[in-house]
Amino acid sequence: MANTLEGIAASKGIAFAKAFVLEQPEMTIEKKEITNQDSEINRFKEAVNSSKEELQIIKDKTLKEMGEDKAEIFSAHLLVLEDPEIIDGVSSKIKEDSVNAEHAMKEISDMYVTMFEGMDNDYMKERASDIRDVSQRILLHLLGVENTSLAAIQEETVVIAEDLTPSDTAQLDLNYVLGFATDIGGRTSHSAIMARSMEIPAVVGTKEATKAVSTGDTIIIDGMEGHVLVNPEQTVVDSYKEKQAEYIRQKEEWAKLVNEKSITTDGHQVELAANIGTPNDLDGVLSNGAEGIGLYRTEFLYMGRNELPSEEEQFEAYKTVLERMEGKPVVIRTLDVGGDKELPYLNLPHELNPFLGFRAIRLCLEEKDMFRTQLRALLRASAFGNLKIMFPMVATLEEFREAKSMVDDVRKDLLKEGQAVAEKVETGIMVEIPSTAAIADLFAKEVDFFSIGTNDLIQYTLAADRMSEKVAHLYQPYHPAILRLVKNVIEAAHKEGKWAGMCGEMAGEETAVPLLLGLGLDEFSMSATSVLPARSQVRSLSKQDTELLAEEAIQLPTSKEVAELVEKKGFIVS
Amino acid sequence: MKEQKYTITNDTGIHARPATQLVNKAGQFSSEVTLEYNGKSVNLKSIMGVMSLGVGKDAEVTIKIEGSDEEEAMKAVDEVVKEGLGE
């Protein structure tokens, strides 16, 4: 029977194969009284030793096939097996309570699982699954139960499982396993992360895949849309085969562009940069060939904690990003919180209209100590790369001047202390308030650069909250007013010899890219995964054509007509 | 007995990777090695013990070592902490 399951798209691509449903081994653990404690303890220790041998093999295999990073988790597992608290804990439970090893093991591991799951920290919560994984392995040995072996798969398969543990994913032979789907998990769960690093399609969180699928069913995993198709009809299979071929072809094309320039057919070069939230995002930035960081949102350093981050902590984070970008431009935005993005420890006032309230640069110019700490960390880090500082939510020139003069003061202080500071650190503003876009010519005389933050600029210009369903249709990126403001900002920058970028979602959209190129945008900053598709598009366009397109678009009366024009004129490649 | 206080500066606190290194190092010595944080004390040779403390960034911790090789143990553990965890 044909059936489609909906889940979370965890790793891109499309896979076709017969299903292999991973059964959870039946394990009933009964509490039994035992008389010979010493032999029970020996039995337990033997199970631990066999588990160790097994894990060592998995670890070596992972190390060889997937590298040190991925193998590290098994070092942690091995350490759990050598852990005095666990091993001695189980042994003394067997001795004192005269219970069987299975029961003692389960009690101890449940205790730790509960403890880790209760921790106020996502990382630690994830560790509960490590303990479960290890204790399951020991229990299987104790019970003499055969583990369904993923390693035994010898034909092309998609794996369907409730969840895949680290030891499961390490056993997947990628010659045969073409993709997987799980019942539980999200985009950041272990299985999803592994799927992306192994580059196989995966859908997680389907809730019922193991129930709906039987081993031997024909399965299509669509890792783009998050669908799992069970026993699809031939016509569906055919259309997915086409989709798969197209995806593979396109990916190959894109991959060739990692080290290429973002240059038009008539020789106009632009910078395609990536937006990041934490230094952890850098791997994706580098593997997707971004030419810089166009927006580093520093608020994540301040969120999910009880106090402000120290200068040192911020310095380390900024330095890491600057160093790893090896001299490529890195635009770091100073703290943008307040209003909707709350920091409980700042005790900010509740406002009726937080988007028009006390936030971002307005807050920073009030909380000068906090702001100064961030500026000190930024300028100290500037010695390690190509830093540009960007102030968010600037509405007036006074705000920029005040922030800039604080930067100058901090620089003087640091130099006096003998700290290294880069000679030139550009300071610019995010253009997201219509007043600023309107007098961009006046700003351009004083700032070093503009970066247009379209998400807010659109909602402020059209007075439409994009989170509000009823007015979401008014959130129009190609509204003539937006295009004209963008044009005004870019022209004002160029007139003063400055550069203009864009760091909203719009910068990576395929309808926007030709328009922005035609309007003369210098830097496009987007999510890392959009960089290669955008580069491929830029390289297919001629600057001259896009200029004509932009001229025409700017005269059109509605957002819809602009989008249609771009499409009709063939500027969208895919 | 040897005793040393540290402030954890590592962004993610003592999590799996640094904890693994620390536990491995402590396990090489016969002395008793304990880690104290927030009024609780655990065996530094136990990964479960160490991780169960949930030591986050900026935490103040104390490491105590007692036994015949406490001198060398303190030196070795101190190196591991300073390499990646704190000061």
Side-chain angles (χ1 to χ4, degrees), chain A residues 307-378:
Chain A
E307 55 186 10
L308 289 168
S310 65
E311 177 183 323
E312 212 52 38
E313 182 180 354
Q314 296 188 53
F315 166 70
E316 286 298 333
Y318 305 151
K319 177 175 161 226
T320 304
V321 173
L322 285 159
E323 278 183 338
R324 287 199 59 195
M325 290 307 291
E326 296 178 334
K328 296 195 186 90
V330 175
V331 178
I332 303 187
R333 178 173 75 186
T334 59
L335 183 61
D336 184 7
V337 291
D340 62 323
K341 281 182 255 171
E342 263 200 78
L343 293 182
Y345 54 85
L346 285 184
N347 291 319
L348 295 175
H350 262 285
E351 294 174 300
L352 274 177
N353 208 336
F355 275 103
L356 304 182
F358 186 51
R359 53 181 293 204
I361 196 70
R362 303 166 180 187
L363 168 70
C364 286
L365 291 175
E366 204 57 38
E367 300 282 337
K368 287 218 165 65
D369 286 343
M370 176 183 85
F371 193 39
R372 202 172 287 119
T373 302
Q374 181 169 38
L375 294 177
R376 279 181 64 94
L378 282 168

Side-chain angles (χ1 to χ4, degrees), chain A residues 83 85 115 119 123 313, chain B residues 16-17 46-48 52 57:
Chain A
D83 196 301
E85 302 272 326
M115 184 155 92
M119 281 187 187
Y123 185 85
E313 182 180 354
Chain B
R17 193 175 305 201
S46 159
I47 184 88
M48 287 295 110
S52 72
K57 198 186 142 69

